[in-house]
Amino acid sequence: AQRVTQPEKLLSVFKGAPVELKCNYSYSGSPELFWYVQYSRQRLQLLLRHISRESIKGFTADLNKGETSFHLKKPFAQEEDSAMYYCALSQGGSEKLVFGKGTKLTVNP
Amino acid sequence: DVKVTQSSRYLVKRTGEKVFLECVQDMDHENMFWYRQDPGLGLRLIYFSYDVKMKEKGDIPEGYSVSREKKERFSLILESASTNQTSMYLCASTSGGGAYEQYFGPGTRLTVT
């Protein structure tokens, strides 16, 4: 069964520090992985997807099939990065997503 | 710009009431989804619809039903609301054809007393 694990419920860093939000998945096929973000009082929105290999708002995520991971990284965290982050996996190429339980990131001044 | 709207931001209902949550998207999207979002549990898929009058159960369909009579509208129905259905409900849509980005509505915070 497809599963997405985000081991940290809460993550707190200081402004300017590097940040890494962990995501591991289990899936037997070829995965499509995503990071979604929800800022305070805003709707959930797509941050990035692995297939586009983009950097969005300074964040990057690399798919590591050997470690079945898709960690989200940013070298220098900003206060405006404080939000809830969800890792998600597409099920069998369909448009249904399996979401992890989320990591709440707090960037302190 | 895709717009997904939900009929209510906050809703308070009594145990046993029938509850309707409405979701409308204005971009002619094929697929629509209903999730519930609970702290520590993330987003869990209740139902989704890939076409008008077509639906498929998600991971937690018990106690819920859905209706999609028109392409733009997807309704979630709680036949007999219970306190354990107190939650944030999120609607989302995708355009179909392998476009995976889900566009979310603002959510409905439902409290069942």
Side-chain angles (χ1 to χ4, degrees):
Chain A
Q2 296 96 346
R3 192 167 59 245
V4 175
T5 303
Q6 293 180 250
E8 304 132 331
K9 285 177 73 168
L10 304 170
L11 186 60
S12 183
V13 300
F14 286 103
K15 178 182 171 181
V19 63
E20 181 179 68
L21 292 90
K22 292 185 167 50
C23 172
N24 290 90
Y25 66 91
S26 64
Y27 180 57
S28 56
S30 186
E32 287 269 359
L33 284 148
F34 308 83
W35 278 98
Y36 279 78
V37 62
Q38 189 169 29
Y39 301 103
S40 179
R41 297 191 201 86
Q42 293 188 28
R43 58 185 73 194
L44 195 61
Q45 59 187 287
L46 178 66
L47 179 63
L48 54 80
R49 54 187 296 188
H50 91 270
I51 203 165
S52 62
R53 303 185 67 83
E54 295 176 294
S55 172
I56 306 290
K57 299 186 179 185
F59 284 97
T60 59
D62 290 317
L63 177 61
N64 185 323
K65 290 187 180 180
E67 294 182 0
T68 60
S69 69
F70 188 56
H71 303 327
L72 183 68
K73 299 177 185 179
K74 185 169 183 177
F76 306 103
Q78 302 300 313
E79 289 178 69
E80 56 265 30
D81 296 328
S82 295
M84 193 74 181
Y85 291 81
Y86 293 96
C87 183
L89 168 71
S90 167
Q91 298 191 55
S94 82
E95 292 183 32
K96 283 197 301 180
L97 296 177
V98 175
F99 284 86
K101 294 183 178 181
T103 298
K104 184 174 181 180
L105 174 65
T106 301
V107 180
N108 300 297
Chain B
D1 205 24
V2 178
K3 219 30 175 321
V4 180
T5 57
Q6 295 182 228
S7 50
S8 307
R9 292 302 303 272
Y10 300 94
L11 208 52
V12 179
K13 295 291 181 181
R14 292 189 180 275
T15 302
E17 279 193 83
K18 191 168 185 174
V19 181
F20 293 87
L21 303 183
E22 305 284 336
C23 175
V24 177
Q25 48 89 9
D26 66 357
M27 284 301 289
D28 202 36
H29 278 181
E30 301 289 331
N31 305 310
M32 296 186 75
F33 306 81
W34 274 108
Y35 296 91
R36 60 179 286 175
Q37 182 182 32
D38 299 288
L41 296 178
L43 272 76
R44 293 178 291 167
L45 181 65
I46 304 170
Y47 267 98
F48 83 101
S49 169
Y50 47 93
D51 202 349
V52 174
K53 296 190 190 294
M54 306 301 282
K55 61 186 179 186
E56 194 171 306
K57 291 179 181 179
D59 301 314
I60 52 164
E62 296 79 18
Y64 304 94
S65 61
V66 290
S67 171
R68 193 165 179 204
E69 296 296 319
K70 293 186 177 182
K71 192 174 185 180
E72 67 270 18
R73 187 180 298 269
F74 191 34
S75 303
L76 180 69
I77 303 152
L78 286 65
E79 296 289 342
S80 178
S82 64
T83 54
N84 63 12
Q85 293 179 308
T86 291
S87 186
M88 173 69 85
Y89 290 88
L90 299 182
C91 175
S93 70
T94 63
S95 59
Y100 296 99
E101 179 173 359
Q102 293 200 4
Y103 294 87
F104 283 85
T108 296
R109 168 80 60 191
L110 173 67
T111 302
V112 183
T113 61

